[in-house]
Amino acid sequence: MFPRSHARRFLGVLIGVLAVFGVQLTATTTAQASPEALARTVYYSASAYSAEADRSAQIWNNAAPNLNLVRGGNASIRIYATTGGGSRAYPCGLGCATIYIDRNDVARGHYALRIVAHEIGHGLGLRDNYNGICSYLMSGGSAGTSCRNPYPNAQESARVNQLFGRYGTAAVDRVGAGVYDRSLVSH
């Protein structure tokens, strides 16, 4: 057992390390905690595709009870618009990503809500799955422009819920930098 002073020092270092990875924890007592308060809160911002970002946050919050995506705060998921280069996410850790939604992808007929939910999925620890099946959110653009499904399937939801359920143990997963939805890039 650590002496109390060592435990406090360890806790301070741990909180500092988590902050570097964009992890934000909210303290609350178990007696007063709602399920949302017990979930790991991840803040997001959207300078473009704002309505889609808000709806995607609702979708992910419903799909993964251990996650609470909230607009504002010190946003660790940031969503921007771009023109050209394809929609993409650059994860910087679990619950952390810089996301670009390509206006050209939307103009070609890809569903903006699906694109935003898909790219947020990268920030939540999921990788691309180019299987072309519309029921897989992470199949991205490979499902074609007729696919309007913005919801993660049970497997994708369970994985995100599992990843965010471990935050209390200070397990922080790193996801690969440069996760990129190549299927949306015009060739």
mmCIF file of all heavy atoms in Angstrom, residues 44-88:
data_model
loop_
_atom_site.group_PDB
_atom_site.id
_atom_site.type_symbol
_atom_site.label_atom_id
_atom_site.label_comp_id
_atom_site.label_asym_id
_atom_site.label_seq_id
_atom_site.Cartn_x
_atom_site.Cartn_y
_atom_site.Cartn_z
ATOM 1 N N TYR A 44 -16.754 18.115 -27.696
ATOM 2 C CA TYR A 44 -16.525 18.310 -29.127
ATOM 3 C C TYR A 44 -16.912 19.733 -29.525
ATOM 4 O O TYR A 44 -17.680 20.407 -28.844
ATOM 5 C CB TYR A 44 -17.290 17.285 -29.968
ATOM 6 C CG TYR A 44 -18.790 17.485 -29.982
ATOM 7 C CD1 TYR A 44 -19.400 18.224 -30.995
ATOM 8 C CD2 TYR A 44 -19.594 16.940 -28.991
ATOM 9 C CE1 TYR A 44 -20.783 18.421 -31.008
ATOM 10 C CE2 TYR A 44 -20.967 17.122 -29.004
ATOM 11 C CZ TYR A 44 -21.557 17.866 -30.014
ATOM 12 O OH TYR A 44 -22.911 18.061 -30.024
ATOM 13 N N SER A 45 -16.364 20.157 -30.658
ATOM 14 C CA SER A 45 -16.752 21.436 -31.253
ATOM 15 C C SER A 45 -16.941 21.194 -32.750
ATOM 16 O O SER A 45 -16.372 20.257 -33.307
ATOM 17 C CB SER A 45 -15.680 22.512 -31.017
ATOM 18 O OG SER A 45 -14.487 22.167 -31.691
ATOM 19 N N ALA A 46 -17.746 22.043 -33.371
ATOM 20 C CA ALA A 46 -17.988 21.917 -34.811
ATOM 21 C C ALA A 46 -18.108 23.309 -35.400
ATOM 22 O O ALA A 46 -19.060 24.025 -35.123
ATOM 23 C CB ALA A 46 -19.251 21.109 -35.073
ATOM 24 N N SER A 47 -17.128 23.685 -36.217
ATOM 25 C CA SER A 47 -17.206 24.975 -36.894
ATOM 26 C C SER A 47 -17.978 24.844 -38.203
ATOM 27 O O SER A 47 -18.298 25.836 -38.840
ATOM 28 C CB SER A 47 -15.800 25.532 -37.151
ATOM 29 O OG SER A 47 -15.090 24.680 -38.019
ATOM 30 N N ALA A 48 -18.278 23.622 -38.596
ATOM 31 C CA ALA A 48 -19.072 23.327 -39.789
ATOM 32 C C ALA A 48 -19.825 22.026 -39.522
ATOM 33 O O ALA A 48 -19.461 21.275 -38.627
ATOM 34 C CB ALA A 48 -18.171 23.169 -41.002
ATOM 35 N N TYR A 49 -20.877 21.797 -40.265
ATOM 36 C CA TYR A 49 -21.702 20.605 -40.088
ATOM 37 C C TYR A 49 -22.131 20.471 -38.628
ATOM 38 O O TYR A 49 -22.119 19.392 -38.039
ATOM 39 C CB TYR A 49 -20.971 19.352 -40.593
ATOM 40 C CG TYR A 49 -20.728 19.421 -42.086
ATOM 41 C CD1 TYR A 49 -19.512 19.867 -42.596
ATOM 42 C CD2 TYR A 49 -21.743 19.084 -42.981
ATOM 43 C CE1 TYR A 49 -19.304 19.961 -43.966
ATOM 44 C CE2 TYR A 49 -21.535 19.174 -44.350
ATOM 45 C CZ TYR A 49 -20.313 19.613 -44.832
ATOM 46 O OH TYR A 49 -20.124 19.711 -46.186
ATOM 47 N N SER A 50 -22.531 21.590 -38.076
ATOM 48 C CA SER A 50 -22.884 21.681 -36.667
ATOM 49 C C SER A 50 -24.088 20.810 -36.301
ATOM 50 O O SER A 50 -24.064 20.089 -35.296
ATOM 51 C CB SER A 50 -23.163 23.143 -36.317
ATOM 52 O OG SER A 50 -23.409 23.288 -34.952
ATOM 53 N N ALA A 51 -25.147 20.878 -37.096
ATOM 54 C CA ALA A 51 -26.339 20.070 -36.807
ATOM 55 C C ALA A 51 -26.006 18.586 -36.890
ATOM 56 O O ALA A 51 -26.469 17.785 -36.063
ATOM 57 C CB ALA A 51 -27.478 20.421 -37.766
ATOM 58 N N GLU A 52 -25.195 18.209 -37.868
ATOM 59 C CA GLU A 52 -24.793 16.816 -38.017
ATOM 60 C C GLU A 52 -23.922 16.373 -36.844
ATOM 61 O O GLU A 52 -24.022 15.235 -36.376
ATOM 62 C CB GLU A 52 -24.055 16.594 -39.341
ATOM 63 C CG GLU A 52 -24.936 16.702 -40.566
ATOM 64 C CD GLU A 52 -25.135 18.133 -41.071
ATOM 65 O OE1 GLU A 52 -24.656 19.096 -40.412
ATOM 66 O OE2 GLU A 52 -25.764 18.296 -42.134
ATOM 67 N N ALA A 53 -23.076 17.269 -36.360
ATOM 68 C CA ALA A 53 -22.234 16.942 -35.202
ATOM 69 C C ALA A 53 -23.093 16.707 -33.964
ATOM 70 O O ALA A 53 -22.878 15.740 -33.213
ATOM 71 C CB ALA A 53 -21.216 18.054 -34.948
ATOM 72 N N ASP A 54 -24.081 17.578 -33.756
ATOM 73 C CA ASP A 54 -24.968 17.419 -32.597
ATOM 74 C C ASP A 54 -25.767 16.120 -32.689
ATOM 75 O O ASP A 54 -25.903 15.393 -31.698
ATOM 76 C CB ASP A 54 -25.912 18.614 -32.470
ATOM 77 C CG ASP A 54 -25.194 19.904 -32.107
ATOM 78 O OD1 ASP A 54 -24.048 19.845 -31.615
ATOM 79 O OD2 ASP A 54 -25.787 20.979 -32.317
ATOM 80 N N ARG A 55 -26.290 15.825 -33.859
ATOM 81 C CA ARG A 55 -27.065 14.583 -34.029
ATOM 82 C C ARG A 55 -26.159 13.363 -33.869
ATOM 83 O O ARG A 55 -26.552 12.361 -33.266
ATOM 84 C CB ARG A 55 -27.758 14.584 -35.394
ATOM 85 C CG ARG A 55 -28.594 13.377 -35.652
ATOM 86 C CD ARG A 55 -29.836 13.331 -34.748
ATOM 87 N NE ARG A 55 -30.507 12.074 -34.959
ATOM 88 C CZ ARG A 55 -30.697 11.134 -34.034
ATOM 89 N NH1 ARG A 55 -30.319 11.343 -32.797
ATOM 90 N NH2 ARG A 55 -31.274 10.004 -34.335
ATOM 91 N N SER A 56 -24.937 13.429 -34.397
ATOM 92 C CA SER A 56 -23.989 12.322 -34.251
ATOM 93 C C SER A 56 -23.650 12.083 -32.784
ATOM 94 O O SER A 56 -23.529 10.932 -32.348
ATOM 95 C CB SER A 56 -22.702 12.603 -35.039
ATOM 96 O OG SER A 56 -22.965 12.625 -36.420
ATOM 97 N N ALA A 57 -23.510 13.153 -32.021
ATOM 98 C CA ALA A 57 -23.240 13.010 -30.588
ATOM 99 C C ALA A 57 -24.396 12.276 -29.911
ATOM 100 O O ALA A 57 -24.168 11.376 -29.082
ATOM 101 C CB ALA A 57 -23.023 14.375 -29.944
ATOM 102 N N GLN A 58 -25.635 12.617 -30.270
ATOM 103 C CA GLN A 58 -26.798 11.912 -29.714
ATOM 104 C C GLN A 58 -26.772 10.434 -30.081
ATOM 105 O O GLN A 58 -27.045 9.564 -29.253
ATOM 106 C CB GLN A 58 -28.101 12.526 -30.229
ATOM 107 C CG GLN A 58 -28.403 13.891 -29.697
ATOM 108 C CD GLN A 58 -29.648 14.487 -30.377
ATOM 109 O OE1 GLN A 58 -30.090 14.039 -31.433
ATOM 110 N NE2 GLN A 58 -30.206 15.510 -29.741
ATOM 111 N N ILE A 59 -26.446 10.167 -31.329
ATOM 112 C CA ILE A 59 -26.390 8.778 -31.805
ATOM 113 C C ILE A 59 -25.363 7.989 -31.000
ATOM 114 O O ILE A 59 -25.642 6.890 -30.509
ATOM 115 C CB ILE A 59 -26.080 8.733 -33.319
ATOM 116 C CG1 ILE A 59 -27.295 9.209 -34.114
ATOM 117 C CG2 ILE A 59 -25.633 7.334 -33.751
ATOM 118 C CD1 ILE A 59 -27.024 9.467 -35.588
ATOM 119 N N TRP A 60 -24.158 8.544 -30.864
ATOM 120 C CA TRP A 60 -23.104 7.829 -30.135
ATOM 121 C C TRP A 60 -23.432 7.720 -28.650
ATOM 122 O O TRP A 60 -23.166 6.692 -28.022
ATOM 123 C CB TRP A 60 -21.741 8.491 -30.357
ATOM 124 C CG TRP A 60 -21.133 8.069 -31.655
ATOM 125 C CD1 TRP A 60 -20.948 8.826 -32.778
ATOM 126 C CD2 TRP A 60 -20.651 6.765 -31.973
ATOM 127 N NE1 TRP A 60 -20.389 8.073 -33.762
ATOM 128 C CE2 TRP A 60 -20.186 6.800 -33.294
ATOM 129 C CE3 TRP A 60 -20.558 5.568 -31.261
ATOM 130 C CZ2 TRP A 60 -19.638 5.690 -33.923
ATOM 131 C CZ3 TRP A 60 -20.015 4.456 -31.882
ATOM 132 C CH2 TRP A 60 -19.562 4.520 -33.204
ATOM 133 N N ASN A 61 -24.018 8.743 -28.062
ATOM 134 C CA ASN A 61 -24.399 8.681 -26.645
ATOM 135 C C ASN A 61 -25.431 7.578 -26.407
ATOM 136 O O ASN A 61 -25.373 6.880 -25.387
ATOM 137 C CB ASN A 61 -24.934 10.027 -26.150
ATOM 138 C CG ASN A 61 -23.843 11.056 -25.982
ATOM 139 O OD1 ASN A 61 -22.656 10.728 -25.879
ATOM 140 N ND2 ASN A 61 -24.224 12.317 -25.962
ATOM 141 N N ASN A 62 -26.369 7.412 -27.328
ATOM 142 C CA ASN A 62 -27.371 6.347 -27.203
ATOM 143 C C ASN A 62 -26.761 4.969 -27.437
ATOM 144 O O ASN A 62 -27.203 3.988 -26.850
ATOM 145 C CB ASN A 62 -28.526 6.571 -28.176
ATOM 146 C CG ASN A 62 -29.390 7.746 -27.780
ATOM 147 O OD1 ASN A 62 -29.460 8.117 -26.615
ATOM 148 N ND2 ASN A 62 -30.042 8.344 -28.762
ATOM 149 N N ALA A 63 -25.762 4.899 -28.305
ATOM 150 C CA ALA A 63 -25.161 3.615 -28.667
ATOM 151 C C ALA A 63 -24.165 3.108 -27.628
ATOM 152 O O ALA A 63 -23.967 1.906 -27.496
ATOM 153 C CB ALA A 63 -24.457 3.735 -30.022
ATOM 154 N N ALA A 64 -23.521 4.015 -26.902
ATOM 155 C CA ALA A 64 -22.458 3.635 -25.961
ATOM 156 C C ALA A 64 -22.692 4.323 -24.618
ATOM 157 O O ALA A 64 -22.271 5.472 -24.429
ATOM 158 C CB ALA A 64 -21.095 4.011 -26.535
ATOM 159 N N PRO A 65 -23.355 3.664 -23.676
ATOM 160 C CA PRO A 65 -23.673 4.284 -22.379
ATOM 161 C C PRO A 65 -22.461 4.755 -21.573
ATOM 162 O O PRO A 65 -22.601 5.639 -20.734
ATOM 163 C CB PRO A 65 -24.415 3.175 -21.625
ATOM 164 C CG PRO A 65 -24.916 2.254 -22.678
ATOM 165 C CD PRO A 65 -23.943 2.336 -23.801
ATOM 166 N N ASN A 66 -21.289 4.214 -21.845
ATOM 167 C CA ASN A 66 -20.087 4.643 -21.120
ATOM 168 C C ASN A 66 -19.488 5.924 -21.688
ATOM 169 O O ASN A 66 -18.466 6.402 -21.199
ATOM 170 C CB ASN A 66 -19.021 3.548 -21.135
ATOM 171 C CG ASN A 66 -19.424 2.367 -20.295
ATOM 172 O OD1 ASN A 66 -20.120 2.518 -19.295
ATOM 173 N ND2 ASN A 66 -19.000 1.180 -20.697
ATOM 174 N N LEU A 67 -20.112 6.478 -22.714
ATOM 175 C CA LEU A 67 -19.628 7.681 -23.393
ATOM 176 C C LEU A 67 -20.657 8.789 -23.242
ATOM 177 O O LEU A 67 -21.857 8.552 -23.341
ATOM 178 C CB LEU A 67 -19.424 7.381 -24.885
ATOM 179 C CG LEU A 67 -19.158 8.566 -25.807
ATOM 180 C CD1 LEU A 67 -17.804 9.197 -25.490
ATOM 181 C CD2 LEU A 67 -19.206 8.107 -27.251
ATOM 182 N N ASN A 68 -20.173 9.996 -23.010
ATOM 183 C CA ASN A 68 -21.043 11.172 -22.952
ATOM 184 C C ASN A 68 -20.394 12.268 -23.784
ATOM 185 O O ASN A 68 -19.530 12.992 -23.295
ATOM 186 C CB ASN A 68 -21.247 11.622 -21.496
ATOM 187 C CG ASN A 68 -22.227 12.758 -21.385
ATOM 188 O OD1 ASN A 68 -23.136 12.896 -22.193
ATOM 189 N ND2 ASN A 68 -22.050 13.584 -20.371
ATOM 190 N N LEU A 69 -20.790 12.369 -25.061
ATOM 191 C CA LEU A 69 -20.279 13.417 -25.943
ATOM 192 C C LEU A 69 -21.062 14.694 -25.679
ATOM 193 O O LEU A 69 -22.293 14.692 -25.704
ATOM 194 C CB LEU A 69 -20.468 13.027 -27.412
ATOM 195 C CG LEU A 69 -19.404 12.152 -28.039
ATOM 196 C CD1 LEU A 69 -19.859 11.655 -29.398
ATOM 197 C CD2 LEU A 69 -18.104 12.906 -28.168
ATOM 198 N N VAL A 70 -20.344 15.779 -25.411
ATOM 199 C CA VAL A 70 -20.962 17.056 -25.066
ATOM 200 C C VAL A 70 -20.302 18.158 -25.872
ATOM 201 O O VAL A 70 -19.074 18.230 -25.959
ATOM 202 C CB VAL A 70 -20.794 17.356 -23.551
ATOM 203 C CG1 VAL A 70 -21.344 18.726 -23.190
ATOM 204 C CG2 VAL A 70 -21.457 16.269 -22.715
ATOM 205 N N ARG A 71 -21.120 19.040 -26.454
ATOM 206 C CA ARG A 71 -20.576 20.191 -27.186
ATOM 207 C C ARG A 71 -20.015 21.196 -26.188
ATOM 208 O O ARG A 71 -20.611 21.462 -25.153
ATOM 209 C CB ARG A 71 -21.663 20.861 -28.011
ATOM 210 C CG ARG A 71 -21.134 22.099 -28.773
ATOM 211 C CD ARG A 71 -22.249 22.837 -29.462
ATOM 212 N NE ARG A 71 -22.647 22.206 -30.696
ATOM 213 C CZ ARG A 71 -22.055 22.443 -31.874
ATOM 214 N NH1 ARG A 71 -21.056 23.273 -31.961
ATOM 215 N NH2 ARG A 71 -22.496 21.844 -32.963
ATOM 216 N N GLY A 72 -18.865 21.763 -26.513
ATOM 217 C CA GLY A 72 -18.289 22.832 -25.695
ATOM 218 C C GLY A 72 -17.110 22.354 -24.882
ATOM 219 O O GLY A 72 -16.429 21.408 -25.241
ATOM 220 N N GLY A 73 -16.902 23.033 -23.778
ATOM 221 C CA GLY A 73 -15.772 22.680 -22.913
ATOM 222 C C GLY A 73 -14.458 22.811 -23.650
ATOM 223 O O GLY A 73 -14.326 23.540 -24.623
ATOM 224 N N ASN A 74 -13.491 22.088 -23.186
ATOM 225 C CA ASN A 74 -12.184 22.042 -23.828
ATOM 226 C C ASN A 74 -12.238 20.913 -24.854
ATOM 227 O O ASN A 74 -11.832 19.791 -24.576
ATOM 228 C CB ASN A 74 -11.098 21.814 -22.778
ATOM 229 C CG ASN A 74 -9.710 21.898 -23.365
ATOM 230 O OD1 ASN A 74 -9.534 22.348 -24.495
ATOM 231 N ND2 ASN A 74 -8.732 21.452 -22.606
ATOM 232 N N ALA A 75 -12.774 21.206 -26.030
ATOM 233 C CA ALA A 75 -13.073 20.185 -27.031
ATOM 234 C C ALA A 75 -11.832 19.404 -27.448
ATOM 235 O O ALA A 75 -10.819 19.979 -27.832
ATOM 236 C CB ALA A 75 -13.715 20.825 -28.252
ATOM 237 N N SER A 76 -11.948 18.085 -27.359
ATOM 238 C CA SER A 76 -10.861 17.216 -27.818
ATOM 239 C C SER A 76 -11.217 16.564 -29.157
ATOM 240 O O SER A 76 -10.359 15.966 -29.787
ATOM 241 C CB SER A 76 -10.532 16.157 -26.766
ATOM 242 O OG SER A 76 -11.676 15.396 -26.453
ATOM 243 N N ILE A 77 -12.475 16.677 -29.582
ATOM 244 C CA ILE A 77 -12.876 16.296 -30.940
ATOM 245 C C ILE A 77 -13.326 17.582 -31.614
ATOM 246 O O ILE A 77 -14.245 18.247 -31.151
ATOM 247 C CB ILE A 77 -14.000 15.241 -30.934
ATOM 248 C CG1 ILE A 77 -13.478 13.923 -30.371
ATOM 249 C CG2 ILE A 77 -14.562 15.057 -32.348
ATOM 250 C CD1 ILE A 77 -14.498 12.790 -30.350
ATOM 251 N N ARG A 78 -12.631 17.928 -32.705
ATOM 252 C CA ARG A 78 -12.906 19.183 -33.398
ATOM 253 C C ARG A 78 -13.259 18.876 -34.846
ATOM 254 O O ARG A 78 -12.537 18.150 -35.514
ATOM 255 C CB ARG A 78 -11.687 20.094 -33.310
ATOM 256 C CG ARG A 78 -11.380 20.505 -31.863
ATOM 257 C CD ARG A 78 -9.997 21.099 -31.674
ATOM 258 N NE ARG A 78 -8.885 20.352 -32.246
ATOM 259 C CZ ARG A 78 -8.333 19.256 -31.705
ATOM 260 N NH1 ARG A 78 -8.791 18.777 -30.592
ATOM 261 N NH2 ARG A 78 -7.319 18.650 -32.285
ATOM 262 N N ILE A 79 -14.376 19.461 -35.310
ATOM 263 C CA ILE A 79 -14.895 19.167 -36.642
ATOM 264 C C ILE A 79 -14.852 20.428 -37.503
ATOM 265 O O ILE A 79 -15.348 21.476 -37.099
ATOM 266 C CB ILE A 79 -16.338 18.620 -36.546
ATOM 267 C CG1 ILE A 79 -16.355 17.356 -35.679
ATOM 268 C CG2 ILE A 79 -16.916 18.356 -37.938
ATOM 269 C CD1 ILE A 79 -17.727 16.914 -35.257
ATOM 270 N N TYR A 80 -14.264 20.287 -38.689
ATOM 271 C CA TYR A 80 -14.120 21.389 -39.633
ATOM 272 C C TYR A 80 -14.605 20.942 -41.013
ATOM 273 O O TYR A 80 -14.674 19.755 -41.291
ATOM 274 C CB TYR A 80 -12.644 21.810 -39.759
ATOM 275 C CG TYR A 80 -11.993 22.175 -38.461
ATOM 276 C CD1 TYR A 80 -11.210 21.249 -37.769
ATOM 277 C CD2 TYR A 80 -12.150 23.446 -37.914
ATOM 278 C CE1 TYR A 80 -10.604 21.591 -36.570
ATOM 279 C CE2 TYR A 80 -11.544 23.789 -36.718
ATOM 280 C CZ TYR A 80 -10.772 22.854 -36.053
ATOM 281 O OH TYR A 80 -10.171 23.185 -34.865
ATOM 282 N N ALA A 81 -14.868 21.901 -41.872
ATOM 283 C CA ALA A 81 -15.172 21.611 -43.270
ATOM 284 C C ALA A 81 -13.921 21.859 -44.095
ATOM 285 O O ALA A 81 -13.067 22.669 -43.739
ATOM 286 C CB ALA A 81 -16.307 22.496 -43.763
ATOM 287 N N THR A 82 -13.828 21.157 -45.200
ATOM 288 C CA THR A 82 -12.753 21.359 -46.148
ATOM 289 C C THR A 82 -13.326 21.116 -47.534
ATOM 290 O O THR A 82 -14.419 20.581 -47.676
ATOM 291 C CB THR A 82 -11.551 20.421 -45.852
ATOM 292 O OG1 THR A 82 -10.454 20.785 -46.670
ATOM 293 C CG2 THR A 82 -11.900 18.968 -46.080
ATOM 294 N N THR A 83 -12.596 21.509 -48.535
ATOM 295 C CA THR A 83 -12.998 21.240 -49.909
ATOM 296 C C THR A 83 -11.839 20.532 -50.581
ATOM 297 O O THR A 83 -10.788 21.121 -50.800
ATOM 298 C CB THR A 83 -13.342 22.547 -50.651
ATOM 299 O OG1 THR A 83 -14.370 23.228 -49.906
ATOM 300 C CG2 THR A 83 -13.842 22.258 -52.062
ATOM 301 N N GLY A 84 -12.035 19.262 -50.849
ATOM 302 C CA GLY A 84 -11.002 18.437 -51.461
ATOM 303 C C GLY A 84 -10.223 17.630 -50.439
ATOM 304 O O GLY A 84 -10.203 17.950 -49.252
ATOM 305 N N GLY A 85 -9.647 16.558 -50.904
ATOM 306 C CA GLY A 85 -8.810 15.714 -50.054
ATOM 307 C C GLY A 85 -9.559 14.603 -49.349
ATOM 308 O O GLY A 85 -8.956 13.757 -48.715
ATOM 309 N N GLY A 86 -10.881 14.609 -49.410
ATOM 310 C CA GLY A 86 -11.666 13.554 -48.772
ATOM 311 C C GLY A 86 -11.950 13.850 -47.313
ATOM 312 O O GLY A 86 -11.194 14.546 -46.644
ATOM 313 N N SER A 87 -13.049 13.321 -46.834
ATOM 314 C CA SER A 87 -13.377 13.430 -45.411
ATOM 315 C C SER A 87 -12.421 12.523 -44.650
ATOM 316 O O SER A 87 -12.096 11.431 -45.106
ATOM 317 C CB SER A 87 -14.823 13.000 -45.166
ATOM 318 O OG SER A 87 -15.707 13.888 -45.812
ATOM 319 N N ARG A 88 -11.967 12.993 -43.486
ATOM 320 C CA ARG A 88 -10.940 12.246 -42.767
ATOM 321 C C ARG A 88 -10.895 12.653 -41.305
ATOM 322 O O ARG A 88 -11.391 13.717 -40.938
ATOM 323 C CB ARG A 88 -9.579 12.446 -43.407
ATOM 324 C CG ARG A 88 -9.166 13.910 -43.478
ATOM 325 C CD ARG A 88 -8.059 14.123 -44.515
ATOM 326 N NE ARG A 88 -7.674 15.514 -44.645
ATOM 327 C CZ ARG A 88 -8.243 16.393 -45.452
ATOM 328 N NH1 ARG A 88 -9.261 16.041 -46.205
ATOM 329 N NH2 ARG A 88 -7.828 17.636 -45.516
#
